[in-house]
C-alpha cells in the first residue's frame, strides 16, 4: 500500500475507537498497537521493525492517534464498573487491566519514539516532535497528562483502583517527564546556568555587601 492508503486505514481505525461497542473499540486499539510496534510479525529483522515502528508512529501521531488514546484513557480511568469488580476481588489479575494495558502501551511507544527522535540532529520529523512536546506540556482537556498519570497512582495507592497497571503508568510518566522537562543533561545545564546567574547577581551586589 502507498502512504495515502496507510493514512486511510489509520483514519478508519480511529473512527472505530469511537464506537459504543467496547469489543470493537478495543479490537481497533489493539490493531493500532500492532502498527505502533512496527508490525513485528511481518518483518525480517530488528532493524526493519525499528524503522517501521518509527515510520508508523509518525503517521499515527500525524493522524491524531495520540489524542484519541488519551480519550480512551479517560474512559478507562472513569470506568467505575471495572474498578468495583477489581475492589471486590481477593487478588487482581492481568485480565482486570487488559484494555488499560493496550492504551498505555500505545501512548508509551509514541512517547518513546518521539523522545528518541528529539535527540536526532536535523530530524526530518522535527516539526512533529516539536508539536508533540508542546502538546504534552499543555493541559489535555482539564489537566496535564503527567498530572492525570499521577492521579492514577494516587487512586491505586488509596485502593480505589487496584487494577491500574502501575508499572506501565510509571514508565509512561517517566518518559513524558523526559520529553517535556528533559533528562539529567538538561538538569545539569539548567543548574549551571542558574549558578552562573547567581554568581553574576552576587557580583553586582558585592559593593553593597562590603
Amino acid at each position: 500500500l502507498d502512504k495515502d492508503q496507510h493514512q486511510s486505514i489509520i483514519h478508519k481505525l480511529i473512527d472505530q475507537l469511537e464506537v459504543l461497542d467496547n469489543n470493537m473499540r478495543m479490537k481497533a486499539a489493539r490493531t493500532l498497537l500492532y502498527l505502533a510496534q512496527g508490525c513485528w510479525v511481518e518483518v525480517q529483522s530488528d532493524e526493519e521493525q525499528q524503522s517501521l515502528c518509527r515510520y508508523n508512529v509518525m503517521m499515527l501521531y500525524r493522524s491524531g492517534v495520540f489524542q484519541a488514546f488519551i480519550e480512551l484513557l479517560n474512559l478507562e480511568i472513569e470506568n467505575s464498573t471495572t474498578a468495583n469488580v477489581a475492589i471486590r476481588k481477593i487478588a487482581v489479575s492481568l485480565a482486570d487491566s487488559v484494555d488499560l494495558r493496550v492504551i498505555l502501551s500505545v501512548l508509551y511507544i509514541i512517547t518513546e519514539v518521539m523522545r528518541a527522535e528529539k535527540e536526532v540532529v536535523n530530524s526530518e520529523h522535527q516539526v512533529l516532535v516539536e508539536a508533540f512536546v508542546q502538546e504534552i506540556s499543555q493541559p489535555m482537556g482539564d489537566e496535564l497528562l503527567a498530572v492525570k498519570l499521577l492521579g492514577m497512582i494516587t487512586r491505586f495507592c488509596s485502593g480505589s483502583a487496584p487494577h491500574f497497571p502501575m508499572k506501565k503508568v510509571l514508565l509512561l510518566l517517566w518518559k513524558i517527564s523526559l520529553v517535556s522537562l528533559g533528562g539529567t543533561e538538561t538538569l545539569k545545564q539548567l543548574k549551571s546556568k542558574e549558578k552562573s546567574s547567581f554568581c553574576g547577581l552576587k557580583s553586582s551586589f558585592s559593593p553593597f555587601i562590603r
Side-chain angles (χ1 to χ4, degrees):
L1 303 178
D2 59 28
K3 190 172 183 178
D4 290 338
Q5 290 171 315
H6 291 166
Q7 205 81 50
S8 176
I9 290 173
I10 291 172
H11 287 153
K12 289 178 181 177
L13 289 170
I14 292 175
D15 289 340
Q16 291 178 22
L17 293 178
E18 299 177 359
V19 300
L20 291 176
D21 186 280
N22 185 65
N23 291 330
M24 184 180 295
R25 190 166 65 239
M26 292 313 300
K27 183 178 180 181
R30 285 190 290 273
T31 303
L32 289 166
L33 172 59
Y34 177 68
L35 292 176
Q37 290 173 331
C39 304
W40 50 274
V41 174
E42 304 162 52
V43 298
Q44 303 300 317
S45 66
D46 291 342
E47 290 75 16
E48 185 181 358
Q49 181 191 356
Q50 292 168 9
S51 176
L52 193 55
C53 174
R54 178 171 172 263
Y55 171 83
N56 287 351
V57 163
M58 294 304 168
M59 186 167 289
L60 292 173
Y61 181 71
R62 188 183 294 111
S63 302
V65 168
F66 191 82
Q67 185 59 48
F69 271 77
I70 293 295
E71 296 300 325
L72 286 182
L73 180 62
N74 290 334
L75 288 175
E76 286 302 316
I77 290 175
E78 300 304 324
N79 190 337
S80 58
T81 301
T82 304
N84 291 334
V85 170
I87 290 172
R88 289 196 294 269
K89 286 188 173 183
I90 297 176
V92 178
S93 66
L94 293 177
D96 295 306
S97 60
V98 171
D99 293 352
L100 261 175
R101 290 174 183 276
V102 171
I103 295 166
L104 290 168
S105 293
V106 172
L107 294 174
Y108 177 86
I109 292 172
I110 293 177
T111 303
E112 174 59 8
V113 170
M114 289 295 186
R115 185 198 65 79
E117 196 67 25
K118 186 181 177 184
E119 304 299 323
V120 177
V121 179
N122 298 324
S123 168
E124 61 181 306
H125 301 295
Q126 184 176 353
V127 175
L128 280 179
V129 173
E130 290 175 354
F132 178 78
V133 174
Q134 184 176 5
E135 182 175 4
I136 63 172
S137 301
Q138 297 178 351
M140 296 181 178
D142 55 341
E143 59 188 358
L144 291 166
L145 177 55
V147 174
K148 190 183 301 293
L149 295 173
L150 286 169
M152 292 181 70
I153 296 172
T154 301
R155 289 183 59 182
F156 175 83
C157 293
S158 68
S160 62
H163 65 295
F164 282 176
M166 274 301 100
K167 184 176 180 179
K168 287 188 178 295
V169 172
L170 290 170
L171 284 172
L172 178 56
L173 179 59
W174 173 40
K175 296 299 182 178
I176 289 291
S177 300
L178 287 177
V179 176
S180 58
L181 301 177
T184 53
E185 289 302 317
T186 303
L187 178 60
K188 289 178 182 177
Q189 293 171 9
L190 289 173
K191 287 177 70 176
S192 177
K193 184 178 179 181
E194 183 179 352
K195 185 177 180 180
S196 299
S197 299
F198 176 76
C199 290
L201 184 63
K202 185 177 179 182
S203 298
S204 64
F205 278 96
S206 57
F208 298 97
I209 295 174
R210 289 196 296 267

